[in-house]
Amino acid sequence: MSNILHVGLNCIEPILDMPTNRSIPNKRWHLAFTAIYSSRALYSLLNQKKKKKSRKLPVPSNPSFVVLNVKPEAFSSIDHTTLIAIVNEKNFNKLLEFGGIEGVADALETGIKNGIDGSVNDVALRQEAFGSNTYQRPPAKRLFHFVVEAFKDLTILILIFCAALSLGFGIKENGVKEGWYDGGSIFVAVFLVISVSAVSNFRQNRQFEKLSKVSNNIKVDVVRNGRRQQISIFEVVVGDVVCLKIGDQVPADGLFLDGHSLQVDESSMTGESDHVEINSYHNPFLFSGTKVADGYAQMLVTSVGMNTTWGEMMSTISRDTNEQTPLQARLNKLTSSIGKAGLAVAFLVLVVLLVRYFTGNTEDENGNQEFNGSNTKADDIVNSVVRIIAAAVTIVVVAIPEGLPLAVTLTLAYSMKRMMVDQAMVRKLSACETMGSATTICTDKTGTLTLNQMKVTKFWLGQDPIEDSSLISTDLLNLIQQGVALNTTGSVYRATSGSNYEFSGSPTEKAILSWAVLELDMEMEILIKDFTILHVEAFNSEKKRSGVSIRSEADHNTVHVHWKGAAEMILAMCSSYYDASGRMKDMDDGERMTFEQIIQGMAASSLRCIAFAHKQIPEEEHEIRETSQKLEEDSLTLIGLVGIKDPCRPGVRKAVEDCQYAGVNVKMITGDNIFTATAIATECGILRPDQGINNEAVVEGEVFRNYTPEERMEKVDKIRVMARSSPFDKLLMVQCLKQKGHVVAVTGDGTNDAPALKEADIGLSMGIQGTEVAKECSDIIILDDNFASVATVLKWGRCVYNNIQKFIQFQLTVNVAALVINFVAAISAGEVPLTAVQLLWVNLIMDTLGALALATEQPTKELMQRPPVGRTEPLITNIMWRNLLVQALYQIAVLLTLQFKGESIFGVNEKVKDTLIFNTFVLCQVFNEFNARKLEKKNVFKGIHKNKLFLGIIGITIILQVAMVEFLKKFADTERLNWGQWGACLGIAAISWPLGWVVKCISVSKKPFLSNLRWQEHHFLLYVCTKI
């Protein structure tokens, strides 16, 4: 044992080697560590020895050493529960007792400037100690929930009632062995309809859950190990330093570290609409889920996930996926109306059949009169009445188009999935179909029409362009560097002296910072240390400028005010300028005009113009102005102008032309000046080359705002570009367009765009540059910020509407034909040729499989060659009425001919005749399904090879029909057909193709048919009134 101990001590000898220059406290700690380590080594050796000894050997009850755990638990110096309570209760006094914000940062082992270490182990340790930034979601709805919901549908309830009646009457008339077929088959059909509907809704719910996870995965700027970087909101941990700017969602609970003019919208937590000011000396408390309304800041995260109030609240909320779109509501109304019509027809048939029976106008199979007064047995009367009721029930079953709601669900779910692939995430289902009706798109410029990859390409000092920065005087260069480094929300990071720079912030900030660092040799870290920031006015889309007041550490008697922003706005605040040599000169009207021409020249080259200005004021004057919290805005000195190039996106011109060709007006609303806006709009194809700034097509936001309401309504349609616009101007334009009857889609990325996004019929937010506020107010998020994706959304919106119209035409043809055939046959012959089983079979394959085939057609170029669908345009157009009525009349004529003359034509018995009617009817629907692919085009086979699902469904339908006729004779009440009879059925059904081609040659009025009837009725009444 002594040998082992000797070896163990040799191993730690370097650790125990104590230098002589240690302080006494350090020596004591070192000796304590040595004693503890030795004790633990002895304890370990004793345990090893003890295991080798026999169990009979006595074990010492009182060891002669003390075991100490020298590794403390992580973050043991902080009571996290108390810290959570301090933030939740906004208890500033308790925070001071905790050591203030600095004390909390020390306890959380966070550097206020550099953040946490950010290594994998550090993050894992923090997640283990304080939890992850996720919250428990309510359990997802199971399949059984959607089955129960499907049972609540009125259509399903009517079908179940009919099935129960049919089952009871069938057993009563034919016994259990054969009487269950009709009622049982209806139950099977109902079961299949419920299964398909429940599974479809269940999958849609799962899709919403996935979309919800994607939309909640917000990117957050944090500082880790001195480097600013973007991470997922779910990766934020306690101790992180988070950078916040206007429009951001606060990702966790925490404390204000540093920043300026920070105002937060806490309405999501408190319900109060007033913005709350956040600062380090009165209210440093920030809460997860709130939104930054103004300013910028850095915050220290103190609690995440379920330890926040937001997390607790969100864990109890489940996303509602039962949203009913306007189209679904209209289809439900249509389904209900058709169902009522079916009930009326069924009741009429019931009355007619009962009257015919009880008046002795019906005969049995032997040709004898069925009802003969008192001579007829009661049992025979009951059986006859049961048969009559079953016929009426069958008509009800046929009349209800239960496939319509399913078709909407399928096409919306399919289009949402496909739109996600095409870089558009749908947040509200109604937007899918509303986008198809859009008549105007109001789009941003930066990042949507352009690439948002900005670079400084022009620099002017005074009235001279500067190509070489070495020609700039030292004092002026220092002023430029101060204006860039200290008046920014961006940052510069460089790991080592030889590595590349990393720039963060908005694209404009990154462009200016990279120019200043790489071209002007700006040292941002040094400048931040040499100056103290006194007050900041943060940039927003209304002011279009930002300002800062600073004081040098070397000179406490002077305050410098720096402004940066839209060139013409900054120019208006200046009364002097610096020339290239650094001399200050007064700015007269002539020189001001020269600067305006320089700005216009850069703008005409599609450059965004940014100006820098400066003013030096005494400390005393600054103290007087500090009470009003306003920076000096007058008599500034212009430092210089920069021109930033942001190239147009490839393909944006074609996307704009596609929209215009589709009858959709594209308007550009931008904060840039009128010359830049005009140049970009012309480049993108929004403006023609002959439409310049003197044309009514281009207007500034202020001019539009100052129009009278009448002038705005008169000119709004002509406007193509609105420059120097504020969010209020955008809202005003949307309101005007909607008043004129337009369906308006609006793109937006900023917090202040929220009102316009809400007001628009379709709000489109930007996934990359968009703030969380803008995304929450939108209906669709454009994930790649590309206008081409907006055009794709427009195409998909039209596709959704078109697919549903195709299915409605197809479905109503089936319903009208089946209803008329059974009604006429029941009235004339007292029986129905198509049994309940056969009709349910037709309904099932046509509804479910037909919906899958027609509701999943992909968008075509033809969709973008039509004008938009109006708000009030009927769901069933005159073209659809033409197509479906001709096909339905053809089917009715053929099948009624078979009903009354089929036996003599084909020389078959009644059973085979009924099978021929059933088979011909189904095959007519299969061929008519091809006709339904194109509502207007004559060539219905164009592009069919691309839709493999459609061809597969046609094949499956035919196979199932063969099985029904040839193998399921008892279940379907059919007889086998020979090859000649099959050929006749196919030949009759195939005529629907040339018939469909011919009928599309007949032109119809675009004015709704029913409105013509109402117009004629109105004029007839007027005529009568005048005669009276």
Side-chain angles (χ1 to χ4, degrees):
M1 178 178 170
S2 60
N3 289 336
I4 296 169
L5 179 61
H6 179 71
V7 172
L9 291 173
N10 282 339
C11 292
I12 64 163
E13 203 170 60
I15 303 171
L16 304 181
D17 187 22
M18 185 167 58
T20 55
N21 60 348
R22 285 188 182 272
S23 63
I24 292 173
N26 280 344
K27 285 180 182 178
R28 287 174 181 169
W29 277 111
H30 199 76
L31 288 169
F33 171 75
T34 307
I36 293 165
Y37 190 93
S38 301
S39 300
R40 294 192 70 181
L42 285 168
Y43 180 61
S44 175
L45 291 169
L46 283 170
N47 276 343
Q48 290 176 18
K49 194 75 174 174
K50 184 169 64 177
K51 288 176 184 176
K52 292 179 183 177
K53 285 184 181 179
S54 171
R55 288 182 181 179
K56 294 180 181 179
L57 290 174
V59 179
S61 57
N62 295 316
S64 58
F65 54 84
V66 179
V67 180
L68 295 174
N69 185 3
V70 294
K71 183 183 176 183
E73 290 186 14
F75 313 108
S76 58
S77 62
I78 187 166
D79 182 0
H80 191 222
T81 307
T82 307
L83 183 58
I84 292 170
I86 288 172
V87 176
N88 286 345
E89 295 166 10
K90 294 188 176 183
N91 196 325
F92 193 71
N93 293 329
K94 276 194 176 179
L95 177 64
L96 294 176
E97 292 174 14
F98 226 85
I101 297 168
E102 292 80 5
V104 172
D106 288 342
L108 294 174
E109 299 176 17
T110 298
I112 290 177
K113 295 293 182 187
N114 293 333
I116 63 172
D117 174 64
S119 64
V120 175
N121 291 336
D122 181 38
V123 171
L125 194 64
R126 290 173 186 276
Q127 287 179 336
E128 185 182 348
F130 305 114
S132 62
N133 199 26
T134 55
Y135 51 83
Q136 297 170 357
R137 295 177 174 272
K141 293 174 182 176
R142 297 183 180 277
L143 181 62
F144 180 73
H145 169 83
F146 296 99
V147 172
V148 173
E149 288 297 313
F151 267 109
K152 294 178 182 178
D153 188 83
L154 180 61
T155 305
I156 298 297
L157 293 175
I158 292 172
L159 286 171
I160 290 171
F161 175 72
C162 292
L165 279 180
S166 183
L167 185 65
F169 294 151
I171 292 171
K172 171 71 179 156
E173 189 173 359
N174 302 315
V176 176
K177 191 174 182 180
E178 293 186 359
W180 69 272
Y181 287 145
D182 284 2
S185 63
I186 297 174
F187 273 119
V188 171
V190 167
F191 169 75
L192 289 173
V193 169
I194 287 173
S195 300
V196 171
S197 177
V199 169
S200 177
N201 288 329
F202 174 71
R203 290 186 64 187
Q204 185 182 340
N205 185 67
R206 284 284 182 270
Q207 194 173 339
F208 265 110
E209 292 292 330
K210 289 178 183 176
L211 287 175
S212 179
K213 287 179 183 176
V214 172
S215 61
N216 290 336
N217 188 14
I218 301 164
K219 294 298 180 184
V220 179
D221 280 354
V222 298
V223 178
R224 288 183 175 178
N225 199 22
R227 179 188 172 200
R228 184 164 167 173
Q229 55 191 282
Q230 272 199 342
I231 62 170
S232 165
I233 190 172
F234 304 127
E235 296 171 4
V236 172
V237 294
V238 170
D240 258 326
V241 173
V242 177
C243 304
L244 300 173
K245 62 182 183 301
I246 295 176
D248 282 353
Q249 176 177 311
V250 179
D253 286 1
L255 299 168
F256 177 93
L257 281 177
D258 184 28
H260 298 279
S261 310
L262 186 67
Q263 291 194 333
V264 173
D265 178 4
E266 294 185 353
S267 58
S268 58
M269 303 291 294
T270 63
E272 296 293 333
S273 58
D274 292 340
H275 296 160
V276 178
E277 187 175 350
I278 307 294
N279 50 54
S280 55
Y281 42 85
H282 288 307
N283 179 25
F285 306 104
L286 288 155
F287 296 99
S288 177
T290 57
K291 307 291 190 303
V292 178
D294 198 6
Y296 60 90
Q298 289 186 333
M299 68 171 281
L300 172 67
V301 175
T302 57
S303 53
V304 294
M306 292 300 295
N307 291 323
T308 66
T309 309
W310 179 256
E312 290 176 11
M313 185 170 69
M314 291 303 292
S315 66
T316 62
I317 298 173
S318 60
R319 182 168 179 174
D320 181 22
T321 58
N322 296 325
E323 173 197 1
Q324 191 179 61
T325 71
L327 189 55
Q328 283 175 321
R330 290 171 75 183
L331 278 177
N332 287 342
K333 192 175 178 181
L334 178 63
T335 304
S336 176
S337 301
I338 295 170
K340 287 173 184 175
L343 283 170
V345 171
F347 180 73
L348 185 62
V349 168
L350 180 65
V351 171
V352 170
L353 291 180
L354 287 173
V355 169
R356 280 173 56 87
Y357 174 75
F358 285 110
T359 55
N361 289 321
T362 56
E363 297 175 349
D364 61 16
E365 294 173 355
N366 301 319
N368 300 320
Q369 187 176 320
E370 281 191 300
F371 183 75
N372 193 12
S374 58
N375 296 328
T376 309
K377 293 178 182 179
D379 199 38
D380 291 337
I381 294 172
V382 170
N383 285 339
S384 297
V385 171
V386 164
R387 191 179 69 252
I388 290 167
I389 294 173
V393 165
T394 303
I395 290 172
V396 175
V397 170
V398 170
I400 299 171
E402 61 271 13
L404 286 181
L406 178 64
V408 182
T409 304
L410 283 173
T411 192
L412 286 174
Y414 176 75
S415 61
M416 279 179 64
K417 190 173 181 180
R418 295 295 304 174
M419 284 166 77
M420 191 73 176
V421 175
D422 290 337
Q423 301 298 314
M425 188 176 78
V426 179
R427 297 185 71 252
K428 293 181 183 175
L429 269 178
S430 57
C432 280
E433 59 200 47
T434 311
M435 195 65 192
S437 303
T439 58
T440 303
I441 299 174
C442 298
T443 178
D444 288 331
K445 176 186 77 69
T446 306
T448 308
L449 298 172
T450 62
L451 285 168
N452 216 5
Q453 296 173 0
M454 300 192 184
K455 183 180 180 182
V456 174
T457 58
K458 295 283 185 183
F459 176 43
W460 290 71
L461 278 180
Q463 297 171 3
D464 301 315
I466 302 297
E467 300 293 337
D468 185 1
S469 60
S470 62
L471 301 176
I472 307 170
S473 69
T474 305
D475 291 340
L476 188 55
L477 185 64
N478 290 337
L479 279 179
I480 296 168
Q481 291 176 346
Q482 290 169 24
V484 172
L486 304 171
N487 186 15
T488 182
T489 55
S491 63
V492 179
Y493 174 78
R494 196 181 193 188
T496 59
S497 58
S499 61
N500 292 328
Y501 288 99
E502 292 180 19
F503 303 98
S504 60
S506 69
T508 307
E509 295 283 10
K510 287 194 285 187
I512 294 171
L513 285 172
S514 63
W515 166 72
V517 169
L518 301 176
E519 300 290 331
L520 306 182
D521 298 324
M522 182 183 78
E523 294 286 347
M524 192 164 177
E525 286 294 324
I526 295 173
L527 286 166
I528 290 171
K529 289 176 184 175
D530 288 348
F531 289 87
T532 303
I533 295 175
L534 304 175
H535 184 67
V536 171
E537 284 197 23
F539 178 91
N540 65 41
S541 53
E542 288 181 9
K543 296 183 294 186
K544 293 183 174 39
R545 63 180 186 269
S546 64
V548 62
S549 58
I550 57 174
R551 182 194 292 120
S552 170
E553 296 295 330
D555 180 11
H556 288 272
N557 296 321
T558 307
V559 171
H560 298 269
V561 175
H562 283 273
W563 283 97
K564 173 184 73 180
E568 67 269 28
M569 293 189 172
I570 297 296
L571 181 64
M573 298 159 61
C574 296
S575 59
S576 57
Y577 68 96
Y578 290 105
D579 64 11
S581 61
R583 291 192 301 271
M584 186 188 294
K585 293 183 177 180
D586 290 335
M587 189 186 299
D588 57 26
D589 292 342
E591 287 167 329
R592 188 178 297 277
M593 189 174 292
T594 303
F595 280 114
E596 287 174 354
Q597 289 170 353
I598 292 169
I599 293 168
Q600 289 172 18
M602 284 197 284
S605 302
S606 303
L607 299 182
R608 170 177 282 188
C609 301
I610 305 293
F612 295 90
H614 164 262
K615 187 172 186 178
Q616 186 173 305
I617 57 175
E619 175 66 25
E620 300 79 19
E621 187 180 336
H622 171 72
E623 288 174 358
I624 294 169
R625 293 189 63 86
E626 203 170 29
T627 55
S628 64
Q629 295 288 301
K630 291 278 287 181
L631 292 179
E632 184 77 45
E633 296 182 357
D634 302 320
S635 304
L636 305 180
T637 302
L638 182 68
I639 297 175
L641 301 166
V642 294
I644 301 175
K645 181 68 176 176
D646 186 12
C648 282
R649 285 182 179 274
V652 75
R653 188 181 183 90
K654 185 181 181 304
V656 169
E657 287 172 353
D658 288 346
C659 290
Q660 291 170 339
Y661 190 67
V664 179
N665 295 318
V666 180
K667 300 179 187 294
M668 186 175 86
I669 303 176
T670 178
D672 278 345
N673 74 43
I674 198 165
F675 299 98
T676 306
T678 303
I680 293 288
T682 305
E683 193 176 341
C684 294
I686 294 172
L687 285 176
R688 297 192 307 273
D690 60 323
Q691 290 178 313
I693 59 172
N694 297 322
N695 194 287
E696 285 185 324
V698 183
V699 69
E700 285 192 324
E702 187 179 1
V703 175
F704 182 75
R705 200 183 315 145
N706 292 330
Y707 283 152
T708 63
E710 293 76 19
E711 286 177 321
R712 273 199 295 269
M713 294 297 286
E714 180 191 342
K715 297 183 179 183
V716 70
D717 279 333
K718 300 174 186 174
I719 295 171
R720 291 287 175 270
V721 175
M722 185 158 69
R724 282 291 177 239
S725 65
S726 69
F728 175 76
D729 299 326
K730 184 185 281 191
L731 175 63
L732 202 58
M733 176 167 276
V734 172
Q735 289 170 340
C736 289
L737 288 167
K738 286 183 73 176
Q739 285 171 27
K740 294 206 77 173
H742 289 278
V743 179
V744 187
V746 169
T747 70
D749 54 11
T751 304
N752 293 330
D753 288 327
L757 289 169
K758 280 186 175 179
E759 180 71 24
D761 296 287
I762 312 104
L764 304 162
S765 64
M766 300 296 111
I768 299 171
Q769 288 300 317
T771 63
E772 293 310 310
V773 174
K775 289 176 187 176
E776 284 194 7
C777 292
S778 65
D779 305 305
I780 297 174
I781 299 174
I782 305 300
L783 299 175
D784 60 354
D785 290 15
N786 193 344
F787 185 81
S789 298
V790 177
T792 304
V793 170
L794 177 68
K795 193 187 293 182
W796 269 109
R798 293 189 174 191
C799 182
V800 167
Y801 199 87
N802 190 246
N803 284 351
I804 291 169
Q805 282 189 316
K806 291 174 188 176
F807 183 73
I808 289 171
Q809 177 185 299
F810 173 69
Q811 173 81 65
L812 291 186
T813 306
V814 179
N815 286 91
V816 168
L819 200 60
V820 172
I821 291 162
N822 273 13
F823 174 69
V824 173
I827 295 293
S828 59
E831 59 182 15
V832 288
L834 298 172
T835 65
V837 176
Q838 292 170 353
L839 286 169
L840 255 295
W841 168 249
V842 170
N843 262 21
L844 185 68
I845 61 172
M846 294 304 116
D847 288 356
T848 308
L849 298 179
L852 269 172
L854 294 171
T856 54
E857 287 270 356
Q858 294 201 21
T860 60
K861 291 180 180 178
E862 297 163 5
L863 292 171
M864 299 296 277
Q865 294 169 0
R866 304 175 189 170
V869 179
R871 284 181 190 274
T872 56
E873 190 166 322
L875 201 55
I876 306 174
T877 63
N878 287 357
I879 290 168
M880 293 168 65
W881 279 119
R882 176 197 66 189
N883 296 343
L884 77 88
L885 286 176
V886 169
Q887 291 290 344
L889 287 171
Y890 168 70
Q891 291 177 22
I892 290 164
V894 168
L895 297 177
L896 286 178
T897 303
L898 289 175
Q899 169 68 17
F900 296 110
K901 299 290 181 179
E903 291 179 37
S904 60
I905 292 172
F906 287 95
V908 294
N909 60 30
E910 187 179 359
K911 198 81 170 173
V912 175
K913 178 204 72 175
D914 287 344
T915 304
L916 283 169
I917 291 172
F918 169 57
N919 199 35
T920 303
F921 183 60
V922 170
L923 291 175
C924 277
Q925 311 321 320
V926 171
F927 280 85
N928 192 40
E929 204 160 348
F930 286 86
N931 289 327
R933 288 189 70 241
K934 307 287 182 182
L935 298 178
E936 297 179 60
K937 298 290 181 181
K938 294 173 186 174
N939 182 5
V940 296
F941 303 106
K942 187 178 179 182
I944 198 167
H945 62 283
K946 296 178 182 177
N947 195 342
K948 292 181 173 57
L949 180 63
F950 181 90
L951 294 173
I953 285 170
I954 293 293
I956 290 168
T957 304
I958 292 171
I959 291 167
L960 291 175
Q961 178 61 18
V962 171
M964 283 290 285
V965 172
E966 299 294 327
F967 304 107
L968 299 174
K969 296 195 297 178
K970 278 198 172 184
F971 181 77
D973 198 18
T974 56
E975 288 291 324
R976 286 191 171 185
L977 302 177
N978 60 39
W979 286 105
Q981 290 162 346
W982 269 102
C985 293
L986 284 167
I988 293 169
I991 292 173
S992 65
W993 281 353
L995 184 65
W997 189 90
V998 170
V999 79
K1000 286 173 184 174
C1001 296
I1002 304 169
S1003 61
V1004 291
S1005 169
K1006 290 188 177 181
K1007 193 173 183 181
F1009 174 69
L1010 292 176
S1011 69
N1012 284 329
L1013 288 180
R1014 283 194 292 269
W1015 183 86
Q1016 290 171 10
E1017 182 184 356
H1018 173 70
H1019 280 263
F1020 175 75
L1021 289 172
L1022 282 175
Y1023 174 77
V1024 171
C1025 290
T1026 54
K1027 290 296 181 185
I1028 292 171

